[in-house]
């Protein structure tokens, strides 16, 4: 606060205290009295015939503008008359131009009406903050409206920060690695190129206005006379013996720190690590296995893949067959689709299949909603759409929320066998693996067959081994003979 304003407030408090004592004197009939060591007199204004204005003789040398305002605070009428106090707002009006002028200049001097702020958007119901991962543009670059200028990494997804207006990026007010919340300003954008160009002119003008530094005066150095000295030969000292190494034979030899790199974990990686460890600490994990003969499903795909692509515009894969088989198994064993909530069991009457997708930034699990109502073509289209969004980093929070059962296909990376971990708050996860040609006994003969191991990890607190084995057996039957889906057997 300005010093004059502070002094003015203190002065008003003192005047009001004096006025209370003086009013009691006036009401009692006294014309004047010494108040706080000073004598007060009545001065009747020329324009008023019924009001007196209080003034102080000892304070005539104060700032005239402040005294003028203080004198207009109150008027005291004759004894027995009412007291009229003027509002303080009227007094502050005259001081406002000189006091608030500097405040306005300090607060709004940088706002020319041409600058807009780029802020972090809303990131989802369960996300309160994120990490500013990277800037996609540089100061001075031109951006269009809704063009991404930065990326914010959250626990679940990477969100783009878009430019609210078309213009030139003037500066970034946040740094990479900062923790930001929705509404945090990260950049200032100028809507015209002139403002951005003008910001670089003052620096160049100052550099041009500065006179060049004076040239250093050359000082002629006189040559020093050479002094001839006779060389002194010293005997070489023997080198001190090297101390023996104190490292014992049992101590491990650690690699030097120069050959190591320490990189901070991304928020997505930390979130995945936390959820997986919580899953191990919460669930009673148990995994059961089975193997599936892929001959008939692969034959079906080979025969109808061209007609399927021509009609539906998407390729026919093996994942849709396993999703339909998993839906049939979940309908036969509803406990696999349920979840424990405290002391209760929640049975879900819908089937939302989560598909684990590995991306360069980490593992994401988009969800296929109401998969029980979809056919093969709809499932393949949804898988294709979600997989592209996951790899491009454009998948949203809503597309990954929920899910009642997860399918993880490690076979695309060559995994032969694994024990997947449950994705909370689900109760089971199906693991698919690579297809390997192995010798199998068929009709008493040994023939090569394309075989796949499948694994089901489930929460043994809720699901017994009987239901888990029946579920895997149902998947095996449907995949080995897809005609069961048509006949519902």
């Amino acid at each position: 606060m300005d010093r004059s304003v502070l002094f003015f407030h203190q002065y008003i408090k003192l005047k009001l205290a004096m006025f209370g004592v003086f009013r009691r004197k006036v009401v009692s009939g006294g014309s004047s009295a010494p108040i706080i060591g000073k004598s007060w007199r009545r001065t009747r204004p020329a324009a008023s015939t019924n009001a007196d204005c209080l003034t102080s003789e000892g304070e005539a040398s104060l700032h005239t503008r402040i005294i003028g305002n203080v004198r207009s605070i109150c008027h005291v009428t004759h004894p027995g008359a009412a007291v009229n106090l003027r509002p303080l707002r009227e007094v502050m009006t005259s001081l406002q131009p000189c006091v608030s002028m500097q405040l306005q200049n300090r607060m709004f001097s940088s706002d020319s009406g041409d600058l807009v702020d780029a802020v972090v958007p809303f990131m989802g119901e369960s996300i309160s903050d994120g990490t500013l991962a990277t800037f996609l543009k540089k100061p001075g670059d031109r951006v269009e409206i809704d063009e991404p200028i930065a990326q914010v990494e959250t626990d679940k997804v990477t969100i783009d920060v878009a430019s609210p207006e078309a213009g030139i990026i003037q500066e970034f007010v946040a740094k990479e690695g900062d923790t930001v919340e929705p509404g945090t300003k990260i950049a200032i954008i100028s809507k015209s190129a002139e403002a951005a160009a003008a910001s670089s002119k003052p620096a160049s003008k100052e550099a041009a206005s500065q006179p060049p530094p004076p040239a250093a005066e050359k000082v002629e150095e006189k040559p020093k006379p050479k002094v001839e000295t006779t060389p002194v030969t010293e005997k070489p000292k023997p080198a001190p013996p090297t101390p023996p190494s104190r490292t014992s034979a049992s101590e491990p030899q650690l690699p030097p720190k120069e050959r190591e790199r320490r990189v901070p974990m991304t928020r997505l990686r930390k979130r995945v690590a936390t959820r997986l460890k919580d899953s191990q600490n919460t669930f009673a994990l148990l995994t059961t296995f089975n193997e599936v003969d892929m001959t008939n499903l692969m034959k079906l795909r080979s025969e109808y893949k061209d007609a399927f692509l021509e009609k539906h515009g998407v390729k026919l894969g093996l994942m849709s067959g396993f999703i339909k088989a998993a839906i049939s198994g979940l309908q036969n064993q509803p406990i696999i689709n349920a979840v424990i909530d405290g002391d209760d069991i929640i049975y879900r009457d819908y089937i939302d299949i989560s598909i684990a997708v590995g991306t360069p930034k980490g593992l994401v699990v988009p969800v296929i909603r109401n998969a029980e109502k979809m056919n093969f073509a709809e499932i393949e289209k949804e898988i294709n759409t979600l997989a592209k969004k996951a790899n491009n980093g454009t998948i949203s929070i809503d597309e990954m929320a929920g899910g009642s059962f997860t399918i993880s296909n490690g076979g695309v990376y060559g995994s032969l066998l694994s024990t997947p971990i449950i994705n909370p708050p689900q109760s089971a996860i199906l693991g698919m693996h690579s297809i390997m040609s192995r010798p199998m006994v068929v009709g008493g003969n040994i023939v090569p067959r394309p075989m796949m191991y499948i694994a089901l990890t489930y929460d043994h607190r809720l699901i017994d081994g009987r239901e888990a084995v029946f579920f895997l057996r149902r998947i095996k039957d449907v995949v080995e003979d897809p005609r069961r889906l048509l006949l519902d057997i």
Side-chain angles (χ1 to χ4, degrees):
M1 184 180 294
D2 195 274
R3 295 182 58 185
S4 60
V5 177
L6 181 62
F7 175 77
F8 175 68
H9 284 299
Q10 295 177 352
Y11 187 80
I12 292 240
K13 292 180 181 179
L14 179 60
K15 283 291 186 179
L16 292 178
M18 292 180 178
F19 170 70
V21 179
F22 181 78
R23 186 178 56 179
R24 289 193 294 271
K25 285 290 184 178
V26 172
V27 173
S28 62
S31 60
S32 65
I35 302 176
I36 315 181
K38 297 181 180 181
S39 62
W40 291 82
R41 61 181 176 85
R42 290 196 204 176
T43 303
R44 185 179 304 274
S48 176
T49 59
N50 61 347
D52 296 329
C53 179
L54 297 179
T55 58
S56 175
E57 297 176 352
E59 297 178 355
S61 62
L62 289 175
H63 196 284
T64 57
R65 296 185 64 179
I66 298 179
I67 293 298
N69 287 285
V70 174
R71 287 176 179 174
S72 62
I73 290 178
C74 57
H75 295 280
V76 182
T77 60
H78 294 287
V83 178
N84 180 21
L85 296 179
R86 295 181 60 188
L88 186 60
R89 187 183 299 110
E90 300 179 9
V91 179
M92 294 299 296
T93 303
S94 60
L95 284 181
Q96 186 175 1
C98 62
V99 175
S100 63
M101 184 77 65
Q102 297 177 355
L103 296 178
Q104 291 179 359
N105 292 337
R106 288 195 297 266
M107 294 175 60
F108 305 107
S109 60
S110 62
D111 188 3
S112 62
D114 181 67
L115 304 179
V116 292
D117 297 335
V119 299
V120 178
F122 177 71
M123 297 184 288
E125 293 290 341
S126 60
I127 300 178
S128 59
D129 58 10
T131 301
L132 185 58
T134 181
F135 287 108
L136 304 178
K137 301 291 183 179
K138 297 179 180 179
D141 291 350
R142 179 168 184 82
V143 293
E144 301 298 331
I145 187 170
D146 294 334
E147 182 178 357
I149 62 175
Q151 288 184 338
V152 177
E153 191 177 71
T154 67
D155 299 341
K156 299 180 180 180
V157 71
T158 301
I159 298 175
D160 291 334
V161 180
S163 173
E165 297 287 346
I168 305 296
I169 298 179
Q170 191 177 44
E171 64 173 329
F172 291 131
V173 296
K175 297 182 296 183
E176 293 184 357
D178 290 351
T179 300
V180 294
E181 299 177 353
T184 302
K185 181 172 67 173
I186 66 168
I188 299 176
I189 298 175
S190 173
K191 292 185 287 186
S192 65
E194 289 79 5
S199 61
S200 61
K201 289 181 179 179
S204 60
K205 289 182 178 179
E206 292 180 2
S209 60
Q210 292 180 357
E217 298 180 358
K218 297 182 179 180
V219 180
E220 296 182 358
E221 297 182 356
K222 298 181 179 180
K224 297 181 180 180
K226 296 182 180 181
V227 180
E228 296 181 357
T229 57
T230 58
V232 179
T233 58
E234 296 182 357
K235 296 181 180 181
K237 297 181 180 180
T242 57
S245 177
R246 298 182 180 180
T247 305
S248 61
S250 61
E251 292 184 6
Q253 298 295 328
L254 299 178
K257 296 296 183 180
E258 292 78 9
R259 299 175 60 186
E260 299 178 351
R261 292 183 298 113
R262 183 181 295 269
V263 179
M265 294 177 64
T266 62
R267 294 179 68 95
L268 180 60
R269 174 54 56 190
K270 288 190 290 185
R271 181 61 176 171
V272 170
T274 302
R275 287 178 61 85
L276 292 179
K277 191 58 183 176
D278 290 343
S279 176
Q280 286 186 329
N281 296 337
T282 302
F283 299 134
L285 300 177
L286 185 62
T287 305
T288 183
F289 302 93
N290 211 322
E291 59 181 359
V292 179
D293 188 351
M294 301 291 295
T295 302
N296 292 331
L297 185 59
M298 294 178 66
K299 182 179 179 181
L300 177 69
R301 177 192 179 191
S302 177
E303 290 179 357
Y304 296 101
K305 63 179 181 179
D306 295 334
F308 190 88
L309 176 61
E310 182 180 356
K311 180 177 181 179
H312 301 290
V314 65
K315 294 181 179 180
L316 177 62
L318 299 178
M319 180 62 76
S320 57
F322 273 90
I323 290 178
K324 296 295 289 186
I327 292 172
S328 178
L330 292 173
Q331 291 172 341
N332 290 344
Q333 302 294 331
I335 194 65
I336 307 293
N337 201 42
V339 66
I340 294 177
D341 185 16
D343 296 333
D344 301 326
I345 299 176
I346 299 177
Y347 287 90
R348 302 182 176 105
D349 295 331
Y350 58 90
I351 298 177
D352 290 349
I353 302 295
S354 302
I355 305 297
V357 178
T359 66
K361 295 183 178 180
L363 181 68
V364 295
V365 190
V367 181
I368 301 176
R369 309 286 181 188
N370 299 317
E372 75 277 7
K373 300 179 182 179
M374 294 183 177
N375 55 28
F376 280 82
E378 293 172 340
I379 292 176
E380 289 291 349
K381 291 179 181 179
E382 189 69 12
I383 293 174
N384 192 24
T385 301
L386 294 176
K388 287 182 178 179
K389 289 183 177 181
N391 290 320
N392 296 336
T394 59
I395 192 167
S396 64
I397 299 294
D398 296 336
E399 291 172 325
M400 295 190 297
S404 60
F405 183 77
T406 299
I407 298 178
S408 175
N409 186 8
V412 296
Y413 307 111
S415 174
L416 181 63
L417 193 63
S418 66
T419 56
I421 300 178
I422 297 175
N423 180 26
Q426 301 172 11
S427 298
I429 179 173
L430 175 67
M432 299 170 54
H433 301 91
S434 59
I435 301 174
M436 303 293 293
S437 181
R438 298 199 303 270
M440 303 296 295
V441 178
V442 179
N445 299 320
I446 299 178
V447 294
R449 291 285 188 174
M451 303 299 295
M452 174 192 289
Y453 288 117
I454 56 176
L456 178 71
T457 300
Y458 57 96
D459 186 5
H460 207 1
R461 301 176 304 166
L462 176 64
I463 303 170
D464 295 331
R466 174 178 174 271
E467 287 82 4
V469 172
F470 283 172
F471 175 81
L472 275 187
R473 185 67 189 182
R474 178 61 181 173
I475 292 180
K476 175 181 173 65
D477 293 341
V478 171
V479 172
E480 290 183 348
D481 189 2
R483 296 173 296 180
R484 290 176 176 269
L485 291 175
L486 300 177
L487 301 177
D488 194 17
I489 56 176

